[in-house]
Amino acid sequence: MLIITKPNLINLYLFASLFHSFLSMKKYSFAFVFLLLLLSCEKDTVTRTNNPYIPNYSFSAILNLNLPSNSGLLTNLNPIAITVDGDIDILIMKVSDGDYRAWNGNCPNQSPEACSRLSLSGLNGKCNCDHALLYSLFTGIAQNATYPMINYRVESLGNNSIRVYN
């Protein structure tokens, strides 16, 4: 028995079937990629710690690096201590081009007192109270400390100015 078929119709049927499968896969692939993108987004990549000793300050300060008081930030690894908005102490350091680290200038493991303001000690912030902890200005961490330093965001604005904010 000899069966004669029309090859063009069979090819058309196979093409239509493959095209339909491709569209179905494409729909699921698009949904999968969209779900992956949605789950990979983060609101904030900066780690925050709820510290009972330090209030959550909301501020924004623009620092002109041409001023003598801020000129230490023009070179790497030369930290400075500043006060903004009248009462927010900040320790800030330039790590590399465009990379700055800014930290709250109060001892994170000490209730506010006259001695709880951090002072600079090389590339560390030193708590001057009883604990005498040394906090790294790279990581904000001190050995045997319960809480790390509170970090602030830093944005390079160009024209030798940066914005420090929370």
Side-chain angles (χ1 to χ4, degrees):
M1 174 183 228
L2 183 64
I3 300 176
I4 300 175
T5 60
K6 295 183 178 178
N8 289 339
L9 289 178
I10 292 174
N11 288 342
L12 184 61
Y13 174 75
L14 287 174
F15 176 76
S17 175
L18 286 173
F19 186 70
H20 183 287
S21 297
F22 172 74
L23 287 178
S24 296
M25 279 185 5
K26 187 176 178 183
K27 187 175 11 175
Y28 292 118
S29 297
F30 177 73
F32 179 72
V33 169
F34 180 73
L35 184 64
L36 265 175
L37 288 174
L38 187 65
L39 293 176
S40 67
C41 293
E42 271 187 50
K43 181 180 177 185
D44 190 1
T45 59
V46 178
T47 304
R48 303 261 180 229
T49 305
N50 291 329
N51 187 312
Y53 301 115
I54 300 175
N56 187 15
Y57 298 114
S58 181
F59 72 94
S60 178
I62 296 177
L63 303 178
N64 182 347
L65 303 183
N66 294 323
L67 296 175
S69 59
N70 301 332
S71 64
L73 296 175
L74 292 172
T75 58
N76 295 347
L77 308 179
N78 191 14
I80 64 168
I82 60 171
T83 302
V84 297
D85 290 347
D87 61 347
I88 302 173
D89 296 318
I90 299 174
L91 301 180
I92 186 168
M93 176 177 70
K94 180 179 181 182
V95 178
S96 64
D97 289 339
D99 184 14
Y100 294 86
R101 308 285 163 89
W103 308 97
N104 184 290
N106 294 312
C107 296
N109 291 285
Q110 177 76 36
S111 47
E113 296 178 20
C115 66
S116 65
R117 187 173 179 185
L118 291 168
S119 62
L120 291 171
S121 177
L123 298 177
N124 297 303
K126 181 179 179 185
C127 189
N128 297 313
C129 296
D130 300 336
H131 307 308
L133 295 171
L134 284 176
Y135 294 88
S136 167
L137 293 179
F138 291 100
T139 63
I141 298 172
Q143 287 186 344
N144 303 322
T146 305
Y147 297 103
M149 294 171 71
I150 304 295
N151 61 325
Y152 295 135
R153 296 173 186 90
V154 181
E155 176 185 16
S156 183
L157 300 175
N159 297 329
N160 275 347
S161 59
I162 58 174
R163 177 178 166 234
V164 181
Y165 63 102
N166 185 15

